[in-house]
Amino acid sequence: MTSDTLRDAPVRLSVRGLAKSYDTKRGSVPVIADLTFDVRVGEIACIVGPSGIGKTTLLKCLTGLQSISSGQALIDGRPIDGPPEEMALVFQEYTRSLMPWLTVEKNVRLPLNHLRLPAAEREERIRGALAAVGLAGAESKYPWQLSGGMQQRVAIARAIAYRPEVLVMDEPFASVDAQTRFELEDLCLRIREQFGMTIVVVTHDIDEAVYLSDRVIVLGERPARVTEIIDVDFGGARDQLTTRAVPEFAELRSEVFELIRKAG
Amino acid sequence: MVFTSSIPARTSVARRAGRSGTPRWVLIGTEVLVPIVLLALWWVASANSTNAFFPPLQVILERLVQLVQTPAFLVDVGSSVGNLLLSFVLASVIGVLLGAALGLVRPLAWFVEPTIHFFRAIPPVALVPIFVSLIGFGNETRIISITLAALFPVLISTMDGIRGTEPTLAMVSRVYRIGWFDRLVSVTLPAASPRILSGMQVSLITAFVVMIASEMLGSSTGLGAATLLAQQSFAIADMWVGILVLGVIGYATTAVFTLFRRRVLRWYLASQQQEKNA
Ligand SMILES: Nc1ncnc2c1ncn2[C@@H]1O[C@H](COP(=O)(O)OP(=O)(O)O)[C@@H](O)[C@H]1O
Ligand SMILES: [Mg+2]
């Protein structure tokens, strides 16, 4: 996949003037003021911004878990007003998103039950997803027997096995070691290539944003607005060593860094 | 990769001491030994008793051996244990189903909850006379009284447990569009199970107390009735046998339930342990 074919792909996710305020005891608290951006089919979009800016809130609006106060979020042109079938979300609080009474394998299996897949495919998806995140052999462990990073990978495996058209992840690689992080980043690129998945990732790591993205969406101000949308034209095939070594990588990196610093 | 595993300690005492470093076998040994030592003390202390109300333990045990061979005694024991277990199972099933319904459907709870809290406030034993006057002295009366008294703890804890479910898990169910049945069986009920089982434990104790009370009020069958009758007819050894056997039944059902709870909540106890060690 080249960047040109990506730029011409149809829009999958469209955010139009989205605003969100939380109703609290002290009244309505605006968190997101006005966001507008698109994510095309097969794109990887990274959302970056200082913590507490409303990234998680935005993802909850996109996945239909939170109502939108004004504006719209659309998937394939349909307004999102509840969790859409074709989406999966990897939660930021990954430890709390796994069922401690189910084994790793059963955690991954649970969302597949209602998809009515042929048994062979279902088993293959579970096996494949666990192998992809490096958890082959841990099937019969319970989440609480695993380290934080491994639990995070179970949550990622569950999302991958579900094979959504749009995969949304909230700081998914926050507690894995550097090596695993590189592997999981490449896994993202691979599943995008393999299944044409559209991926939206919130990340704290600027290098990661530049390495993964076709576009980096920088949020700033409070309540949040889009500070800048930066196109990244490295195309589909990327490599941890060579991609990170090109001069454009360093340029994009400092550009994003500068924007976040101003936004914070 | 760090795989850690911990087998939940076998007894509550052992669990508490797991932290203080006392070897586990000492604690399990203690738990077994204490009742034996108490019985031995009773034996020795009562050996030469001439008090008509405190016969020697030896006399009581001899009477126990005799009674165990009489059909009437066995019928009493069977009736008591049968009523206890049947009512406990009924209360648990109804309590969990009704509690789940009330926990999940808010509007339903608004209507029913005040009533529940009113009836819960009545001491369970006090319900027995109401049923005796409503339905009479039959065995159904006993079963209904026990079941109803045992219903509230499990019902209320199920309701609370379901409402206290980790919100992230509810969001996971929504995002992955998990069907209602999977949601109930694989998410909601397991999430509430620690509280449900605590409630069931209270229900079991309540059922035991009300079982005895229901037999002492106007009934002629059951260990409670037999024990009371023995007391009234000055068959003191028989009375003590009744008390002893009731104690054993209470202890045994609680012990079996504790094992069951530990089995069902293995994931919970072990993950708690994990958190403590972390
Ligand atoms: N359920 C909620 N009710 C009220 N305020 C909330 C809620 N969730 C988040 N917030 C507030 O919204 C702001 C943005 O939070 P969040 O979306 O988690 O930010 P981020 O993910 O960028 O760190 C924070 O100030 C947070 O306190
Ligand atoms: Mg967040």
Side-chain angles (χ1 to χ4, degrees):
Chain A
M1 218 184 298
T2 68
S3 342
D4 288 342
T5 57
L6 267 180
R7 299 276 176 258
D8 297 336
V11 171
R12 172 132 287 162
L13 264 184
S14 182
V15 175
R16 294 271 154 266
L18 185 148
K20 169 73 186 171
S21 14
Y22 282 113
D23 292 319
T24 66
K25 287 190 201 82
R26 285 169 290 108
S28 168
V29 179
V31 173
I32 295 172
D34 178 10
L35 300 182
T36 298
F37 63 86
D38 287 334
V39 184
R40 292 176 184 276
V41 172
E43 263 187 345
I44 299 181
C46 281
I47 297 167
V48 296
S51 69
I53 195 85
K55 304 182 294 297
T56 298
T57 301
L58 170 62
L59 294 195
K60 287 191 173 154
C61 291
L62 289 181
T63 48
L65 288 172
Q66 282 282 359
S67 61
I68 293 165
S69 304
S70 73
Q72 269 190 315
L74 304 151
I75 179 162
D76 295 330
R78 289 182 347 257
I80 297 169
D81 51 8
E85 219 170 339
E86 53 271 75
M87 271 197 189
L89 172 63
V90 175
F91 288 79
Q92 183 172 9
E93 53 287 49
Y94 56 92
T95 39
R96 276 186 273 147
S97 84
L98 298 173
M99 325 284 160
W101 49 87
L102 296 181
T103 60
V104 165
E105 194 250 6
K106 289 195 172 126
N107 265 288
V108 176
R109 179 186 298 273
L110 185 60
L112 305 187
N113 282 346
H114 70 89
L115 295 183
R116 302 185 193 292
L117 301 169
E121 185 187 346
R122 191 177 56 229
E123 300 312 311
E124 176 48 32
R125 279 200 196 180
I126 297 168
R127 201 200 55 75
L130 284 172
V133 298
L135 284 178
E139 289 84 357
S140 55
K141 297 275 167 194
Y142 285 86
W144 38 268
Q145 293 176 308
L146 307 176
S147 68
M150 289 170 88
Q151 292 180 33
Q152 207 161 28
R153 280 141 66 194
V154 177
I156 294 168
R158 174 170 67 185
I160 293 175
Y162 191 67
R163 221 158 278 175
E165 284 171 30
V166 180
L167 173 59
V168 182
M169 300 194 276
D170 200 348
E171 303 192 22
F173 314 138
S175 63
V176 300
D177 58 78
Q179 180 58 37
T180 311
R181 189 182 191 113
F182 290 157
E183 284 164 15
L184 291 175
E185 287 168 7
D186 288 336
L187 174 66
C188 274
L189 295 169
R190 216 161 56 234
I191 56 174
R192 180 264 291 270
E193 204 65 38
Q194 202 176 340
F195 305 114
M197 245 181 231
T198 307
I199 303 176
V200 177
V201 191
V202 164
T203 177
H204 257 18
D205 184 327
I206 295 166
D207 284 50
E208 180 169 279
V210 174
Y211 178 70
L212 275 181
S213 300
D214 299 299
R215 59 186 66 205
V216 181
I217 299 161
V218 185
L219 304 187
E221 299 178 57
R222 280 158 215 262
R225 292 170 190 281
V226 174
T227 303
E228 186 81 65
I229 297 178
I230 300 163
D231 289 334
V232 180
D233 290 317
F234 294 140
R238 305 181 185 196
D239 177 86
Q240 293 286 1
L241 285 179
T242 54
T243 306
R244 285 176 194 264
V246 297
E248 292 94 317
F249 192 93
E251 280 165 29
L252 285 165
R253 195 178 170 281
S254 33
E255 191 183 346
V256 176
F257 184 74
E258 205 52 45
L259 285 166
I260 294 179
R261 198 161 62 176
K262 267 191 280 172
Chain B
M1 289 199 191
V2 195
F3 284 131
T4 44
S5 135
S6 78
I7 297 152
R10 274 217 260 147
T11 66
S12 53
V13 183
R15 224 177 305 128
R16 251 174 280 130
R19 275 167 287 166
S20 65
T22 320
R24 191 173 297 165
W25 63 267
V26 172
L27 299 150
I28 295 171
T30 310
E31 218 158 276
V32 177
L33 229 64
V34 167
I36 295 177
V37 169
L38 286 176
L39 279 177
L41 279 178
W42 184 2
W43 182 283
V44 173
S46 66
N48 299 313
S49 169
T50 48
N51 185 330
F53 293 102
F54 296 101
L57 181 56
Q58 191 183 353
V59 174
I60 298 171
L61 291 181
E62 279 163 9
R63 184 69 188 133
L64 173 65
V65 173
Q66 285 169 2
L67 279 175
V68 164
Q69 291 159 20
T70 59
F73 183 76
L74 294 182
V75 167
D76 281 335
V77 173
S79 164
S80 294
V81 173
N83 282 357
L84 174 64
L85 295 185
L86 176 66
S87 306
F88 175 62
V89 169
L90 274 177
S92 299
V93 171
I94 299 171
V96 169
L97 291 179
L98 199 58
L102 292 174
L104 292 170
V105 187
R106 281 295 157 94
L108 201 60
W110 293 332
F111 285 108
V112 185
E113 244 187 288
T115 319
I116 290 175
H117 286 289
F118 175 74
F119 278 106
R120 182 181 64 151
I122 302 173
V125 179
L127 292 172
V128 180
I130 303 177
F131 284 101
V132 170
S133 39
L134 282 178
I135 329 176
F137 288 112
N139 200 42
E140 314 82 66
T141 303
R142 269 167 266 150
I143 290 174
I144 292 174
S145 312
I146 306 169
T147 305
L148 198 76
L151 178 66
F152 293 110
V154 59
L155 170 65
I156 287 161
S157 63
T158 303
M159 225 159 62
D160 288 347
I162 280 176
R163 284 184 195 155
T165 302
E166 168 62 52
T168 310
L169 290 182
M171 286 195 275
V172 170
S173 308
R174 287 179 63 204
V175 164
Y176 289 104
R177 302 166 72 97
I178 295 170
W180 72 268
F181 184 77
D182 269 355
R183 209 163 173 166
L184 187 68
V185 172
S186 302
V187 185
T188 313
L189 285 179
S193 62
R195 287 219 213 158
I196 293 176
L197 280 136
S198 301
M200 281 172 71
Q201 196 146 21
V202 178
S203 287
L204 180 60
I205 295 163
T206 310
F208 183 64
V209 171
V210 176
M211 180 264 283
I212 299 172
S214 74
E215 290 169 349
M216 288 187 167
L217 288 170
S219 163
S220 55
T221 41
L223 268 175
T227 306
L228 191 67
L229 186 70
Q231 186 261 330
Q232 286 163 349
S233 50
F234 293 99
I236 300 302
D238 288 27
M239 178 192 85
W240 278 102
V241 168
I243 291 170
L244 201 62
V245 172
L246 281 172
V248 169
I249 292 171
Y251 187 83
T253 45
T254 313
V256 169
F257 181 80
T258 305
L259 289 178
F260 168 75
R261 175 177 179 274
R262 222 167 269 165
R263 181 78 201 78
V264 174
L265 294 186
R266 214 168 55 92
W267 63 269
Y268 177 73
L269 299 172
S271 61
Q272 296 287 92
Q273 188 81 10
Q274 204 79 342
E275 254 165 51
K276 240 180 276 155
N277 296 345

